[in-house]
């Protein structure tokens, strides 16, 4: 009887733990920018984000063009992130962030709650949008910090140029 139990548990053990797993990797690496990886799912999420931000529902007609725009957008954002990381003291005004977020929603005639729901409905984490905005605001802060002492404004010259235009 003991031998039958041992055989039974050995078979059960081998069936449970030694069988081939059904796990499948559904994502793959597309490219890297510095130490940041771009995956196929990143590209799909970026395409969805572009479509939502432009109030479009389909991209079958311009699939290749939209894919290229998504890749370029991700690459630019990652390059900016790499540069921003070099300056750990950069910050932005949270009010600017809120204003920009509301403006994005307003651009496609939505309030902020509907805007967030649109992303959730389309399977895109809303943190994608917040990441895009934060990166842009930090980038602007970095550019200002680097060049603020190198730019001078002459109000008289501006007035002269305005008179020539108007």
């Amino acid at each position: 009887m003991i031998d039958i139990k041992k055989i039974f548990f050995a078979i059960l053990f081998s069936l449970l733990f030694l069988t081939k797993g059904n796990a499948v990797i559904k994502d793959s690496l597309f490219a890297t920018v510095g130490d940041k990886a771009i995956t196929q799912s990143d590209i799909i999420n970026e395409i969805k984000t572009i479509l939502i931000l432009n109030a479009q529902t389909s991209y079958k007609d311009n699939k290749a063009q939209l894919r290229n725009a998504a890749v370029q957008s991700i690459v630019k954002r990652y390059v900016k992130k790499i540069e921003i990381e070099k300056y750990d003291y950069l910050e932005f005004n949270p009010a600017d962030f809120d204003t920009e977020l509301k403006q994005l929603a307003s651009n496609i005639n939505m309030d902020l709650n509907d805007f967030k729901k649109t992303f959730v409905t389309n399977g895109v984490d809303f943190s994608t949008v917040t990441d895009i905005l934060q990166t842009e605001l930090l980038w602007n802060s970095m550019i200002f910090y680097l060049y603020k002492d190198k730019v001078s404004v002459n109000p008289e010259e501006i007035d002269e140029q305005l008179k020539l235009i108007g």
Side-chain angles (χ1 to χ4, degrees):
M1 192 65 160
I2 295 175
D3 291 333
I4 294 174
K5 285 183 181 180
K6 286 181 182 177
I7 293 172
F8 175 74
F9 283 116
I11 292 172
L12 183 63
F13 178 78
S14 64
L15 288 175
L16 290 176
F17 297 107
L18 299 178
T19 58
K20 193 174 189 178
N22 291 332
V24 177
I25 297 174
K26 294 185 178 184
D27 206 359
S28 61
L29 182 65
F30 177 78
T32 57
V33 178
D35 63 344
K36 303 195 180 308
I38 300 173
T39 63
Q40 293 293 340
S41 63
D42 292 335
I43 295 170
I44 291 168
N45 286 336
E46 190 74 15
I47 289 170
K48 289 178 182 179
T49 301
I50 290 169
L51 289 172
I52 293 168
L53 294 176
N54 291 301
Q56 295 178 345
T57 57
S58 176
Y59 68 97
K60 292 183 182 186
D61 296 338
N62 56 354
K63 199 179 230 182
Q65 184 180 9
L66 194 56
R67 181 178 171 85
N68 288 338
V71 170
Q72 287 178 1
S73 176
I74 294 170
V75 168
K76 285 179 185 177
R77 186 166 53 255
Y78 282 2
V79 167
K80 288 178 180 181
K81 283 183 174 191
I82 290 168
E83 289 303 310
I84 289 167
E85 289 171 357
K86 295 177 183 176
Y87 303 92
D88 59 348
Y89 50 84
L90 294 174
E91 55 185 33
F92 58 86
N93 186 346
D96 291 341
F97 177 81
D98 291 338
T99 302
E100 289 293 325
L101 196 56
K102 288 176 185 173
Q103 184 62 45
L104 283 177
S106 174
N107 288 346
I108 56 175
N109 301 319
M110 290 186 185
D111 66 10
L112 196 52
N113 287 331
D114 289 339
F115 188 58
K116 290 177 182 180
K117 288 177 186 175
T118 302
F119 280 89
V120 172
T121 302
N122 286 289
V124 180
D125 191 354
F126 192 70
S127 66
T128 303
V129 175
T130 60
D131 181 56
I132 291 169
L133 284 179
Q134 288 174 350
T135 302
E136 286 303 315
L137 290 170
L138 288 170
W139 177 258
N140 292 343
S141 295
M142 183 189 77
I143 296 300
F144 178 76
Y145 172 78
L146 291 175
Y147 296 103
K148 69 181 177 184
D149 297 330
K150 296 176 182 168
V151 175
S152 63
V153 177
N154 183 347
E156 294 169 359
E157 190 175 323
I158 292 173
D159 288 339
E160 287 179 29
Q161 292 296 320
L162 288 173
K163 287 178 184 175
L164 291 174
I165 295 173

